[in-house]
Amino acid sequence: MADFKLAKLPDGTPVKLSITITPYLQSALQDYAAVYAKAYGVEEPVAQLIPAMLAGFLESDRTFARSRAARK
């Protein structure tokens, strides 16, 4: 299948991660979820928003992206 245009999809198996956060961060995340709900008209649990928030943060960090690319 050398001519197949679509590359093999990466492993999409979710990985569970448990963390401990400060009360301030918990409050800020709840406030963020409330603003998100007002903006989009859909209430999402904080746990559903965090992966997208982390991905966005990592994607926006140019220094990290350059360092990561250099390691490969």
Side-chain angles (χ1 to χ4, degrees):
M1 290 222 165
D3 294 335
F4 200 64
K5 299 288 183 195
L6 181 65
K8 184 177 178 186
L9 296 178
D11 183 5
T13 304
V15 177
K16 186 171 178 104
L17 176 67
S18 296
I19 63 169
T20 302
I21 60 175
T22 64
Y24 170 79
L25 183 54
Q26 174 63 19
S27 176
L29 289 168
Q30 289 173 336
D31 291 345
Y32 189 94
V35 172
Y36 179 94
K38 187 173 183 180
Y40 293 106
V42 177
E43 289 187 20
E44 297 287 356
V46 169
Q48 295 285 14
L49 297 175
I50 290 173
M53 294 167 70
L54 287 173
F57 173 81
L58 291 175
E59 289 169 6
S60 70
D61 189 327
R62 296 292 119 218
T63 302
F64 170 70
R66 283 190 298 274
S67 296
R68 190 171 193 212
R71 291 178 57 184
K72 291 184 178 183

